[in-house]
Amino acid sequence: MGLSKVIVASFKRGFEEKCFQLITESYVSAMETKVIKLNWDENDITSELHEHIKENPLRLKWSIVTNVEQHLPKDDIEKEKGFSAKLPRIDLRLVTINSSLEYEYHMEAKNLKEKDSGLKRRYIDTGINSFVSKKYENGCLLGYVLEGDLDKTVNGVNKLLKKDEREPEFLKHKSFLLHDKYYESKHPEDMVIRHFMFDFTSLNSA
């Protein structure tokens, strides 16, 4: 039984690393094509990044299936007419099946701007808090910085957390081989949330 758990844990870690490589490479590719506009909704940007993930030959090599706007089933929702509209929906889902193991990884995306406290508040309330409350599980956050300085934008998120007396949950920059602007935040029950910040500010808004 112990060996089985070790194998499963190793499988999950390996899959998550592949997911991180696919999403970070999709960002690099999207920046090269310059299709994304600064006035896009976050779902528009996610859709474009998803296309780059689909076109990455590594995705097929690794047998990973992806889709956007995925319903997440919940046991505590009564199944009656209209129940699916009440289900939480994650922005991006990646799935792999290897032998008898299947694993899903979820990515929730939020637009951010340095001087828009409303977007930063939303990043906390509907991003961070959705993972803390376990509305979303097995996943990470993607921050799409569309205006201003990325570091100052992250500092702005932390200022709001401080205002909420949540200093231990600050986003802290971590060294990560695949992406320079990578952060982690620690939360109750030993939860760690990964944050990938993608800076799109150099792209034209027109």
Side-chain angles (χ1 to χ4, degrees):
M1 181 65 72
L3 179 61
S4 175
K5 287 183 178 180
V6 169
I7 292 172
V8 170
S10 177
F11 172 75
K12 289 181 177 180
R13 277 197 306 274
F15 172 58
E16 288 177 6
E17 289 297 323
K18 292 179 175 73
C19 292
F20 300 150
Q21 185 167 343
L22 287 174
I23 192 62
T24 53
E25 287 187 7
S26 77
Y27 164 69
V28 173
S29 179
M31 291 298 289
E32 290 172 352
T33 59
K34 299 183 179 180
V35 172
I36 292 171
K37 308 299 183 200
L38 296 181
N39 63 352
W40 279 14
D41 294 334
E42 59 208 21
N43 287 344
D44 300 329
I45 299 174
T46 301
S47 179
E48 181 64 20
L49 292 179
H50 179 243
E51 286 302 308
H52 289 275
I53 289 175
K54 284 174 63 179
E55 293 168 5
N56 191 328
L58 287 175
R59 184 184 68 82
L60 293 178
K61 177 184 176 183
W62 292 334
S63 301
I64 293 176
V65 177
T66 65
N67 63 291
V68 293
E69 289 291 299
Q70 171 69 31
H71 279 131
L72 300 178
K74 288 292 178 182
D75 295 332
D76 58 351
I77 290 182
E78 189 174 342
K79 291 189 176 179
E80 54 187 24
K81 179 177 164 53
F83 80 92
S84 72
K86 301 174 185 176
L87 291 172
R89 197 174 297 187
I90 198 77
D91 289 325
L92 182 61
R93 181 184 74 146
L94 300 95
V95 187
T96 189
I97 298 176
N98 185 340
S99 183
S100 60
L101 296 174
E102 179 181 18
Y103 191 60
E104 296 186 5
Y105 196 76
H106 306 111
M107 298 182 179
E108 179 67 9
K110 302 294 176 190
N111 283 354
L112 286 168
K113 297 179 181 179
E114 179 189 337
K115 297 184 178 179
D116 192 326
S117 60
L119 287 178
K120 284 178 275 194
R121 171 55 65 186
R122 186 168 169 269
Y123 187 88
I124 295 171
D125 291 347
T126 65
I128 293 173
N129 290 351
S130 290
F131 281 102
V132 171
S133 68
K134 294 187 169 60
K135 176 182 178 181
Y136 302 147
E137 297 185 75
N138 299 329
C140 67
L141 278 163
L142 310 177
Y144 302 153
V145 181
L146 305 176
E147 189 177 286
D149 180 81
L150 187 150
D151 293 332
K152 290 179 180 177
T153 302
V154 174
N155 287 339
V157 172
N158 285 340
K159 285 179 181 177
L160 288 177
L161 287 169
K162 183 177 181 179
K163 189 176 180 181
D164 297 340
E165 299 183 346
R166 295 172 65 179
E167 287 97 330
E169 300 177 66
F170 276 11
L171 278 66
K172 295 181 179 177
H173 185 264
K174 299 285 184 179
S175 177
F176 195 71
L177 184 63
L178 297 171
H179 188 64
D180 180 46
K181 298 300 182 179
Y182 168 77
Y183 299 79
E184 290 182 0
S185 56
K186 295 183 179 179
H187 306 274
E189 300 181 20
D190 296 323
M191 175 183 287
V192 175
I193 300 176
R194 298 169 180 262
H195 307 256
F196 291 86
M197 293 292 167
F198 295 148
D199 191 343
F200 293 105
T201 56
S202 63
L203 299 176
N204 293 326
S205 58

